Amino acid sequence: MTVEGSPDRSTEPRTIEYSGHNQKTPQTKCCSPTLKIFIGLLAFCYFTKSLTGAYTKSTITQIERRFEIPSSTVGIIDGSFEMGNLLVITVVSYFGSKFHRPKIIGVLLMGVGTLLMALPHFIMSQYKYDTAAAHSNDADNFTVSSTCSSDNQSTVQQLVSGCLKEEAESSPTWVIVLFGNILRGIKLLLLLLFILFFYHIKATHVSRDLVYFVIFFFSVGCLHTLGVIGPFFGYSLGSLCASFYVDIGLVNQESVTITPQDSRWVGAWWLGYVVSGLLTLLAALPLWFLPRALPENPQTSKLDHPSNQHKHTLSITEIAKDFGPSLKRLLTNGIYLLYLVYGVLAFNAFTIVITYTPKYLEQQFGQSASKTNFLIGVTSIPSVALGMFLSGWIMKRFKLSLLGSTRLMFFCSVTSLVCTIPYFALSCENIDVAGVTVPYQGSIEVQDISRGLLTSCNTDCGCPDFQWDPVCGQNEVTYISPCHAGCNSTRGAEQNMTFHGCTCIQSWGLTSGNSSAVLGQCSRETSCTKMFYIYLALQSLAFFVYCLGTVPFFLVSLRIVDPALKSLSVGVFLLVLRIFGGIPAPICFGALIDSTCLKWGQKKCGGSGTCRMYDIETFRYLFLGLVSSLRTISYTLLWIVTIQIKRKVQNDKQMSKDAELQHPVLCDPEQETTLK
C-alpha cells in the first residue's frame, strides 16, 4: 500500500478519466437523450426507495401494536431489509453484466415487496381493543364489563372460549410483512449498477471511477437530492397515516374511544405501503423499455476499441484463484481492519438511532406517532440534507487528502457526540399507574407488579388480567381499567363516558362525590412538551454535524488500500456493515427495549402481546447509553486509524525524499503513486 501526503489528484478540476484514458470530454456531449432519461428514471426510483425506507421506520410502533408482537420481533422485520440485500450481492457481482441492467435493478421487486407488506391488513379482520364503550368492539358478540361486577368471571370464560379464532387469524400474518421487506431489500445495488450502466466502466477501473462519481453524487447529483427528499416525504406520509385509525373507511371514526396518544392506538400503517408500492411500480415500468446498453460516445468508443484493450474474459476459475490472495492482502491491512471495526460499531449505533428514535420519543415524551413522525421529518431531514451537501462541497473545495478526510470525519463525529450529551437531562417521569408504578394507596412503592394490580378495593370485581382500558381518576392516578379502579357505574357514551363510585379512588381519602374517572391516561407534566422540542432541536444539530463527515466515510475505505483492491474493499466493507451492523442491531436492541416493559398486554387466549407501558427512565438510559457507548468506542478506533494514517503518510514522505536524493534523475513528480 502506498500513501501520499499531497492532495489527491482525483479532486483536481475537471478532467475525469473513463476506462483508463485521460480524455477530456465536453459536458455538452457526454449525455445522450437515453442517458438523460435513464438518470431521471433512476432518480425517481431512488426517491421511492428512500421514501419507503423512511416510512417503514415510522411504522415500527404501529406494526408492533397491530400484530401484538414484542419489539425484538419488530427488529427482525426491520433487519429483514438487509437480509434481502445479502441474498443478491453475489448474484449482482457476477451476473450483473450479463443481463439487461435496467430490468434487473430490482425496482419491480421493490414495488411488489412494498405492496406485500400491506397485504395482512386486507386478510385480517377489524382491529379490536378492550374498551368500556363495548358497542364499538362487539364483533364477536361478547364484551367485557369494564366496571366492577360479579359477572365478570363468567364473561372472561366466554372470551377464552371464543378466542381461538382471533389467535389463528393474527399469529402468522406478521411473517408476510417480513417477507415483503426482504423482497424490498433486493434492490440490487442501484448506484453501482447506475455507474456500470451508463459510464461503461471496465471492471479494473470501477473503484477509481467510483471515487469520482461519489464526489459528484454528493455534490450536485440529482440522485443525492431526491434520496434526501425521499425520507422527508416518507416521515410526512407516516405522520399522515398514523393520524387515521387503522380501519379507516370501515369504522366510524367518532365511535373510536381511544386517541393517538393511547398505547392501543393503531394508525393506518398499511396505507403508506400501498401508496409507496404503487409509486415504485410506476417507476419500474419505464425501465423495461430502455435499450440493453446506451449508445457509445464516439470519442470514448475509439479509445476503447483498439487492440490494446483486453478482449479476454476471465473465467470463474481464474477469478476464484485470484480472489483468495486478494482477500488475504486486504484483511492483513491493519489500517483497513481497524477502519472496518470502526464502521461496524458506528453503523450499529446509527441503525439503532434511525430505527427506534420515533418509538423512544413517543414513550419518553408521551407524543403520538403522527406528531413524532412529522416533526422528525421537518427538523431532521433538512439538516441531514444540508450536512451531506456541505460534506461533498468541503471535499471538493479544499481538496482534502486521505489524512485530511479522516480528520474531518473524526472532528464531525466527536462534535456530534458532544451535541447528544444534553439528551440525558431531557427526561420525563413515568405517569402514576396504580399497581404498576405506584401502589393503590400511594404510601409505599410497588414491590411486586404482578401482584399489585389487585387489592382490597377491587378484589371482588373479577377484573380480567388481559384488560388494558386506562382511566384517569380525580386523584390524578391512572388505573389500567375502570374495573381495577373499583368503579361501579357509568354515565355518558363513547369518548364522553365517565365512571363513578370508584372505591379505589376513594381509598386515597377522596369523598364519594369525588371518586370518578374519565377514559384515557392522565396527562404528563407540561414540561414534557418543552423537552420534546428541545430534544428535536439538538437532534437536528447533531445530525447536521455528523453528516458533514458522510462523504469521507466511504472515500477513506477506498483510499486506505492498494488500487488493485479498491473494488474488493468496497464489497467487503458494505457486506460486513450489513451482516454485523444492519441486521443484529435492531433485533438485539429490540430485546433490550422489551426488558424495560412494566405492563405487557395479554392476549385473550393467553400469552403476552405488545407492551402497554415502559419504564421510561430505564428505556432512556439503555437507548442513550448504548448508542453513546458504541459511538465512543468507534470514535476511539477512528482516532487510532487517524494516527496510523498520519504515521504512514510521514513515512512515505520520508521514503520519497530519500529516493529523490539517491536517484534525482529517475524521480518524476508525474509518476508519484497516489493513494486514492
Side-chain angles (χ1 to χ4, degrees), residues 366-652:
Q367 303 296 322
S368 66
S370 176
K371 183 177 179 180
T372 299
N373 292 328
F374 175 75
L375 291 179
I376 288 177
V378 170
T379 60
S380 298
I381 302 304
S383 63
V384 169
L386 182 60
M388 295 175 71
F389 177 82
L390 291 179
S391 177
W393 180 83
I394 291 172
M395 291 291 295
K396 292 176 62 180
R397 175 65 177 81
F398 298 99
K399 301 180 177 62
L400 295 180
S401 62
L402 172 62
L403 182 58
S405 301
T406 311
R407 285 173 171 172
L408 173 63
M409 185 167 50
F410 178 74
F411 173 78
C412 294
S413 300
V414 173
T415 304
S416 67
L417 179 60
V418 172
C419 293
T420 63
I421 293 178
Y423 288 175
F424 289 92
L426 299 173
S427 62
C428 298
E429 296 182 356
N430 276 316
I431 61 174
D432 294 336
V433 180
V436 179
T437 59
V438 296
Y440 273 82
Q441 283 72 32
S443 58
I444 58 174
E445 293 185 358
V446 176
Q447 299 296 330
D448 189 347
I449 294 175
S450 63
R451 298 180 181 177
L453 296 178
L454 298 178
T455 185
S456 59
C457 63
N458 60 18
T459 303
D460 298 329
C461 294
C463 304
D465 294 335
F466 56 79
Q467 193 172 23
W468 178 266
D469 188 18
V471 294
C472 180
Q474 286 187 316
N475 54 355
E476 296 299 324
V477 174
T478 299
Y479 296 84
I480 69 171
S481 75
C483 179
H484 288 83
C487 305
N488 53 39
S489 63
T490 62
R491 293 178 186 174
E494 298 180 352
Q495 297 180 0
N496 297 321
M497 182 177 290
T498 59
F499 305 87
H500 299 271
C502 306
T503 57
C504 294
I505 298 178
Q506 292 179 24
S507 65
W508 283 70
L510 300 179
T511 62
S512 59
N514 294 325
S515 58
S516 63
V518 295
L519 280 175
Q521 297 179 175
C522 297
S523 59
R524 294 176 182 249
E525 60 268 28
T526 56
S527 60
C528 261
T529 303
K530 296 179 181 178
M531 292 182 181
F532 174 61
Y533 292 125
I534 296 174
Y535 188 100
L536 289 174
L538 290 174
Q539 180 178 257
S540 178
L541 176 62
F543 281 169
F544 168 74
V545 177
Y546 182 80
C547 288
L548 289 175
T550 50
V551 175
F553 178 76
F554 290 101
L555 293 187
V556 168
S557 65
L558 292 170
R559 293 180 172 182
I560 58 179
V561 298
D562 293 332
L565 300 177
K566 287 180 180 180
S567 183
L568 181 61
S569 71
V570 173
V572 171
F573 190 71
L574 294 177
L575 180 65
V576 171
L577 286 187
R578 296 184 189 282
I579 294 178
F580 297 104
I583 296 177
I587 300 174
C588 295
F589 189 73
L592 290 177
I593 292 177
D594 291 336
S595 68
T596 68
C597 184
L598 293 177
K599 179 65 175 71
W600 284 99
Q602 302 214 352
K603 299 178 182 178
K604 298 180 180 64
C605 289
S608 61
T610 187
C611 184
R612 299 302 187 188
M613 184 177 183
Y614 294 91
D615 181 352
I616 59 176
E617 183 176 359
T618 305
F619 192 174
R620 181 175 77 256
Y621 285 120
L622 274 178
F623 180 74
L624 300 179
L626 180 60
V627 171
S628 299
S629 298
L630 288 173
R631 295 181 67 181
T632 300
I633 297 173
S634 66
Y635 298 159
T636 302
L637 293 177
L638 181 59
W639 176 67
I640 297 175
V641 169
T642 305
I643 294 177
Q644 295 297 324
I645 291 177
K646 182 179 179 180
R647 291 177 179 175
K648 191 67 177 177
V649 168
Q650 292 175 345
N651 292 338
D652 288 349

Side-chain angles (χ1 to χ4, degrees), residues 18-23 25 29 199-200 202 295-311:
Y18 299 99
S19 304
H21 301 283
N22 290 328
Q23 178 70 26
T25 305
K29 298 182 180 181
Y199 278 123
H200 305 287
K202 302 298 183 291
E296 293 187 353
N297 190 316
Q299 295 180 343
T300 58
S301 61
K302 292 179 181 179
L303 295 172
D304 292 337
H305 185 67
S307 59
N308 59 354
Q309 299 293 325
H310 297 285
K311 297 182 179 180

